[in-house]
Amino acid sequence: MIVKVRNKTKDHNGYRAARVKSLFNAERGNEFSLDANIPIEGMEWQIGLIVGPSGSGKTSIGRELFGGGKIVDLYAGWDNTKPIVEDINSGGDFDSVTGSLANVGLGDVPSWLRPFKDLSNGQQFRAGLARAISDGDDEIIIDEFTSVVDRQIAKIGAMAFGKGWRRNKGKKVVLLACHYDIIEWLQPDWVFDTGTGELKKGGSSDKDQSLSSKLGRSTHLTGSILKSITI
């Protein structure tokens, strides 16, 4: 698949803009062009990762892969009058919602009873991942993946999300990220690096299992299990 990105904004000629053009040889700074070869046709996959520096075209490429597909903001659209357990997939069943929260590592049960705005930064990140897993369309894009959390939370969150998303059989997600440290934790099916223009294909591995053992196995939470949890 050849993805052609052609972005253009209005060309301004004010004093400061003209001076920047002159000083930094940026006559066409209002235009951005990128051709990316991402040969994933015919490939069975669920999780793709586009990684690279800020401003390198990740968002534009992600949109083109799904023909203008939906970009999910993990932090937007929450109803802060409701606890997150009521706000995630409001039409879904109880077990699927609590299961998605547990699968992304948000095991602090009292936090499920708080609105999104009252959660910590790390809890908000995980709640957003749970909503994406539970509410997501068949094809979604998540921008700025792990950008606003510390790197340890990012790595563990990436692994938990990868495991949770793979339970969504037949659904695809493309994650857009600036950080390379999540790759071995996420174990995506393919990675496209906008910095080098290279595509690497992969998948889950023995390392994924060893990381799971090191961090502890996750358990799918259902109503019956919740009755035995001590808070």
Side-chain angles (χ1 to χ4, degrees), residues 78-79 82-88 94-116 118-119 123 126-127 130 219-223 225-227 229 231:
W78 292 89
D79 184 347
K82 297 179 180 178
I84 60 171
V85 74
E86 297 284 357
D87 201 14
I88 295 174
F94 177 79
D95 289 349
S96 68
V97 173
T98 56
S100 67
L101 288 164
N103 287 336
V104 298
L106 189 51
D108 178 14
V109 174
S111 70
W112 301 356
L113 302 176
R114 301 180 197 127
F116 183 80
D118 293 326
L119 301 179
Q123 289 172 335
R126 291 188 176 99
T219 302
H220 181 73
L221 266 67
T222 64
I225 293 177
L226 288 172
K227 288 190 295 186
I229 290 180
I231 301 174

Side-chain angles (χ1 to χ4, degrees), residues 59-225:
T59 303
S60 296
I61 293 173
R63 286 198 184 102
E64 291 297 322
L65 285 178
F66 288 153
K70 178 180 179 183
I71 293 187
V72 172
D73 184 341
L74 300 179
Y75 301 90
W78 292 89
D79 184 347
N80 286 315
T81 66
K82 297 179 180 178
I84 60 171
V85 74
E86 297 284 357
D87 201 14
I88 295 174
N89 193 6
S90 57
D93 64 85
F94 177 79
D95 289 349
S96 68
V97 173
T98 56
S100 67
L101 288 164
N103 287 336
V104 298
L106 189 51
D108 178 14
V109 174
S111 70
W112 301 356
L113 302 176
R114 301 180 197 127
F116 183 80
K117 67 179 179 62
D118 293 326
L119 301 179
S120 70
N121 193 34
Q123 289 172 335
Q124 288 183 343
F125 171 63
R126 291 188 176 99
L129 295 180
R131 186 177 64 171
I133 290 173
S134 188
D135 291 0
D137 297 333
D138 288 345
E139 297 178 343
I140 66 170
I141 304 160
I142 299 179
D143 206 353
E144 301 294 342
F145 185 68
T146 75
S147 290
V148 300
V149 291
D150 70 64
R151 301 323 302 156
Q152 189 61 24
I153 290 176
K155 294 171 185 176
I156 296 174
M159 187 184 73
F161 176 78
K163 287 178 173 293
W165 184 265
R166 291 190 188 282
R167 295 185 175 94
N168 285 334
K169 299 299 183 182
K171 293 188 175 185
K172 297 179 178 180
V173 61
V174 176
L175 307 172
L176 314 178
C178 292
H179 298 95
Y180 293 80
D181 58 356
I182 61 171
I183 295 175
E184 63 178 334
W185 296 75
L186 178 65
Q187 293 292 319
D189 299 305
W190 56 263
V191 180
F192 181 76
D193 187 340
T194 58
T196 64
E198 295 178 347
L199 177 79
K200 293 183 179 180
K201 297 179 181 179
S204 57
S205 67
D206 293 339
K207 187 166 191 173
D208 185 46
Q209 293 297 325
S210 68
L211 288 172
S212 179
S213 298
K214 188 183 297 183
L215 293 169
R217 297 182 180 276
S218 62
T219 302
H220 181 73
L221 266 67
T222 64
S224 59
I225 293 177

